């Protein structure tokens, strides 16, 4: 087995081989054999998401409604230094590099083929943890991203004769660990870029300054592997976040079944990030424990959240035919009821209570979005909300130390990019690795 490796966030960026043996404290220069070069670079992006209703309940087979956000994660894979696999994740201050030869020892023994994205089993994840020197810190943010990369990279290339040398850089406009699906956007990008580099899906041609989408069949494969990445990061994900990251737009998600909500009205939503850090993995596990402990109490709550999602969907469909102010009153009530349910499930937080109180003082209704426990909340803006009310609410929420902005929803799903389609800022960051 390879010696344990240390995450070296403070290692100089100019040092491409930020691979340090925990035992010796020196670089690991093993011999470089059995590595192939990638043919070319691949740049992809995927959006974050907002869950309108159904977070947590969706993990237990209930309906969720979710929409994509105009904040994206960008990931570039390019041919790397011969014999090296390097990953650069500046959002989580993690920069690592391994010798490809040492990675060969981690290739899974049983190979089920690319079409059957294989579940990461506990023994495999433990082996990867040991290899990368990550210990068993349940929710260490950096560990989970490194594990997701290693798992998808090794699985996707498992049947190649050689593992490719590559350098990956990822940058996100999304706050990480705040309920906006950064883990899914990351997993979708990883899956799309690695599958495309492997030649498992076609790389859709992109003209200068253009982006391109994959075929539905390819999107399904991207989504299947992204789901495995989410399994590593979340433990027990429902699959709703990676579905939005892959397909974009607005959708209804129920036990793996994805239905696009094509005729939804344009909703105006304020997003507030309480900036209280939390881990989806820990929160999802906490809800599971509560359901196991008090099934007769918790199952009706899950059923009620399911009914809220269905009522919201019905209301949105009616609004698409002709929105009336009464529809907005219904949406507001559903938001309030769901927020109470989420508190009952143990995923509230005083910072989220404050968000609800501050917005309600201005007549606006809010609920947490995503896993809760801090992170982000959404506030519905209605046609009869005066712009001065919106401005005052935003200011008061900012005064609480929160980030608050009006968001735009319904962005496209995973995209393949030409370099010139990226903004200067994103290109500059990706180019610096
Ligand atoms: N840009 C990124 N770079 C590296 N890892 C990321 C990035 N975005 C998300 N992740 C991974 O996803 C985790 C956050 O996922 P999670 O707790 O589900 O919160 P959320 O999905 O709501 O942002 C991070 O700890 C990290 O492991
Ligand atoms: C709580 C949950 O419903 C959503 C989690 O979203 P996020 O990771 O907090 O963005 C979990 C899931 O659906 O996998
Ligand atoms: Mg997540």
């Amino acid at each position: 087995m390879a010696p344990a490796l240390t995450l070296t966030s403070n290692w100089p960026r100019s040092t491409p081989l930020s691979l340090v043996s925990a035992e010796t404290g020196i670089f690991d220069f093993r011999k470089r054999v059995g590595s192939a070069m990638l043919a070319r670079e691949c740049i992809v992006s995927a959006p974050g998401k907002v869950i309108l209703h159904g977070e947590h309940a969706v993990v237990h087979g209930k309906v969720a409604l979710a929409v994509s956000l105009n904040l994206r994660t960008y990931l570039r894979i390019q041919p790397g230094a011969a014999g090296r696999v390097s990953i650069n994740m500046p959002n989580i201050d993690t920069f690592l590099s391994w010798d490809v030869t040492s990675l060969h020892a981690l290739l899974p023994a049983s190979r089920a083929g690319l079409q059957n994205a294989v579940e990461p089993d506990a023994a495999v994840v433990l082996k990867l943890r040991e290899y990368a020197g990550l210990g068993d810190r349940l929710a260490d943010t950096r560990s989970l991203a490194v594990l997701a990369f290693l798992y998808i990279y090794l699985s996707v290339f498992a049947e190649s004769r050689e593992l490719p040398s590559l350098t990956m850089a990822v940058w996100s406009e999304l706050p990480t660990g705040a309920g906006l699906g950064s883990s899914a956007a990351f997993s979708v990008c990883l899956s799309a870029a690695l599958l495309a580099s492997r030649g498992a899906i076609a790389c859709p041609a992109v003209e200068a300054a253009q982006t391109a989408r994959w075929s539905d069949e390819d999107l399904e494969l991207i989504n299947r592997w992204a789901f495995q990445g989410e399994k590593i990061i979340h433990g027990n994900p429902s699959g709703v976040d990676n579905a939005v990251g892959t397909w974009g737009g607005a959708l209804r998600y129920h036990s793996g079944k994805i239905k696009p909500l094509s005729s939804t009205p344009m909703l105006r939503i304020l997003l507030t990030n309480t900036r209280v850090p939390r881990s989806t993995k820990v929160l999802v596990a906490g809800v599971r424990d509560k359901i196991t402990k008090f099934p007769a109490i918790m199952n009706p709550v899950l059923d009620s959240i399911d009914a809220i999602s269905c009522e919201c969907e019905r209301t949105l469909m009616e609004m698409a035919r002709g929105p009336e102010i009464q529809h907005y009153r219904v949406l507001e009530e559903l938001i309030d009821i769901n927020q109470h349910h989420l508190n009952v499930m143990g995923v509230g937080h005083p910072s989220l209570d404050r968000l609800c109180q501050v917005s309600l003082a201005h007549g606006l209704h809010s609920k947490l979005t995503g896993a809760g426990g801090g992170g982000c909340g959404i506030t519905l803006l209605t046609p009869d909300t005066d712009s001065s009310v919106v401005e005052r609410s935003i200011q008061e929420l900012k005064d609480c130390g929160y980030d608050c902005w009006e968001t735009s929803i319904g962005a496209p799903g995973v995209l393949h990019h030409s370099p010139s389609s990226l903004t200067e800022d994103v290109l500059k960051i990706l180019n610096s690795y």
Side-chain angles (χ1 to χ4, degrees):
M1 181 178 299
L5 308 173
T6 312
L7 282 168
T8 55
S9 57
N10 52 1
W11 205 258
R13 304 266 167 92
S14 55
T15 309
L17 310 182
S18 50
L19 172 90
V20 185
S21 160
E23 289 155 10
T24 62
I26 55 169
F27 283 123
D28 184 6
F29 287 111
R30 268 163 282 187
K31 59 184 177 33
R32 295 167 185 173
V33 293
S35 102
M37 289 294 274
L38 280 190
R40 58 194 161 117
E41 76 169 4
C42 178
I43 306 175
V44 301
S45 74
K49 61 90 227 266
V50 162
I51 297 184
L52 298 177
H53 288 292
E55 48 274 276
H56 288 290
V58 66
V59 175
H60 305 278
K62 309 301 178 190
V63 173
L65 304 180
V67 291
S68 57
L69 266 182
N70 61 341
L71 298 174
R72 303 182 78 83
T73 295
Y74 297 85
L75 183 147
R76 182 179 68 181
I77 284 181
Q78 55 184 161
R84 307 294 308 173
V85 170
S86 307
I87 59 175
N88 299 290
M89 305 191 287
N91 295 110
I92 57 165
D93 204 17
T94 298
F95 308 90
L96 285 168
S97 179
W98 301 279
D99 187 294
V100 170
T101 319
S102 66
L103 289 167
H104 271 113
L106 299 167
L107 281 169
S110 63
R111 296 167 194 185
L114 275 172
Q115 293 302 319
N116 309 312
V118 199
E119 294 247 341
D121 76 36
V124 170
V125 175
L126 185 65
K127 198 167 149 190
L128 298 182
R129 270 190 185 283
E130 282 173 3
Y131 169 80
L134 300 172
D136 62 355
R137 290 161 296 177
L138 179 67
D140 180 301
T141 56
R142 295 185 297 167
S143 308
L144 297 171
V146 175
L147 286 175
F149 168 81
L150 281 175
Y151 184 74
I152 299 182
Y153 168 78
L154 290 165
S155 305
V156 162
F157 287 99
E159 275 160 59
S160 311
R161 210 169 43 84
E162 294 176 315
L163 289 171
S165 307
L166 58 84
T167 297
M168 178 195 85
V170 57
W171 170 255
S172 188
E173 297 161 344
L174 291 158
T176 48
L180 302 183
S182 78
S183 60
F186 173 62
S187 297
V188 170
C189 286
L190 268 182
S191 166
L194 289 169
L195 286 166
S197 305
R198 164 78 169 80
I201 54 176
C203 230
V206 275
E207 303 292 323
Q210 300 282 309
T211 57
R213 300 269 295 143
W214 277 273
S215 68
D216 281 353
E217 200 187 328
D218 287 346
L219 289 176
E220 269 158 32
L221 190 59
I222 292 170
N223 190 45
R224 281 206 286 284
W225 280 101
F227 186 46
Q228 304 311 323
E230 276 283 85
K231 280 198 177 150
I232 297 213
I233 297 175
H234 278 197
N236 183 24
S238 63
V240 64
D241 290 7
N242 48 280
V244 180
T246 304
W247 276 282
L251 55 86
R252 173 195 213 266
Y253 187 90
H254 185 207
S255 299
K257 287 194 277 310
I258 300 158
K259 182 181 141 201
L261 298 176
S262 38
S263 54
T264 43
M266 193 55 217
L267 292 179
R268 284 184 65 200
I269 286 176
L270 272 191
L271 256 181
T272 302
N273 185 358
T274 64
R275 301 166 75 168
V276 172
R278 83 307 168 275
S279 148
T280 300
K281 186 168 187 161
V282 170
L283 288 151
V284 167
V287 170
R288 189 198 50 224
D289 290 349
K290 230 187 224 324
I291 296 169
T292 309
K293 197 168 169 195
F294 302 115
I297 296 169
M298 297 312 295
N299 284 326
V301 176
L302 298 178
D303 287 340
S304 177
I305 292 178
D306 189 72
I308 289 172
S309 292
C310 295
E311 184 65 21
C312 180
E313 183 188 2
R314 210 183 50 73
T315 308
L316 292 175
M317 280 163 67
E318 265 186 41
M319 289 171 81
R321 290 194 288 271
E324 286 170 26
I325 204 66
Q326 281 323 107
H327 291 128
Y328 285 96
R329 297 289 95 87
V330 171
L331 293 183
E332 288 174 340
E333 272 193 75
L334 295 178
I335 285 175
D336 292 344
I337 301 169
N338 198 357
Q339 176 62 16
H340 287 300
H341 284 339
L342 288 159
N343 276 319
V344 168
M345 291 167 86
V347 296
H349 189 271
S351 62
L352 293 162
D353 294 342
R354 186 135 190 238
L355 156 63
C356 294
Q357 284 153 11
V358 169
S359 59
L360 198 57
H362 294 281
L364 303 176
H365 297 251
S366 307
K367 67 175 271 293
L368 68 84
T369 188
C376 288
I378 52 173
T379 305
L380 182 68
L381 301 178
T382 63
D384 55 350
T385 316
D386 201 80
S387 61
S388 64
V389 167
V390 179
E391 276 159 33
R392 277 205 306 278
S393 307
I394 293 179
Q395 191 51 54
E396 271 186 47
L397 289 165
K398 286 185 175 168
D399 292 344
C400 296
Y402 304 161
D403 293 327
C404 183
W405 69 100
E406 185 172 344
T407 186
S408 136
I409 51 180
V414 62
L415 293 174
H416 180 224
H417 287 263
S418 68
S420 52
S421 70
L422 301 174
T423 63
E424 240 175 69
D425 287 350
V426 173
L427 198 57
K428 199 166 148 200
I429 294 167
L430 293 182
N431 277 344
S432 55
Y433 301 101

